[in-house]
Amino acid sequence: MVGYVNREVSLAFELQKYRQPGTKFIIPLQVEGITAEAGRRDLQAFQQLPLRSLSYAEDVAVLAKTMFRDFQHRTR
């Protein structure tokens, strides 16, 4: 059985192949209480951003800043 999450991750990996080396396209979130080692092995190679309940607004702000910066880098 293939869930929607697995499909989205597979699609993201497929799209990552068409990016220039070093260009980020996948940004895994490390959910509070789950270690990177407990997550998907295929995502462990990517830098993970934390998503914590006590600093949710700050973590989302960092995520948005990272996404904007990476988008700017890709469109140059």
Side-chain angles (χ1 to χ4, degrees):
M1 181 175 175
V2 177
Y4 71 92
V5 172
N6 292 330
R7 287 183 188 194
E8 288 186 15
V9 171
S10 294
L11 177 61
F13 275 116
E14 185 63 28
L15 294 173
Q16 179 70 48
K17 291 178 188 178
Y18 300 102
R19 305 290 181 224
Q20 292 180 353
T23 301
K24 296 179 187 176
F25 181 73
I26 299 172
I27 305 173
L29 297 177
Q30 185 175 4
V31 179
E32 184 175 48
I34 300 176
T35 64
E37 294 78 24
R40 293 178 56 121
R41 287 184 181 260
D42 53 356
L43 294 176
Q44 290 177 0
F46 296 90
Q47 179 182 1
Q48 299 185 11
L49 295 179
L51 189 59
R52 302 163 292 203
S53 58
L54 294 177
S55 58
Y56 182 79
E58 293 86 4
D59 292 345
V60 170
V62 170
L63 174 61
K65 182 178 177 181
T66 301
M67 290 172 63
F68 181 74
R69 182 196 66 217
D70 293 347
F71 175 77
Q72 293 294 323
H73 179 72
R74 286 193 307 265
T75 57
R76 288 183 191 169

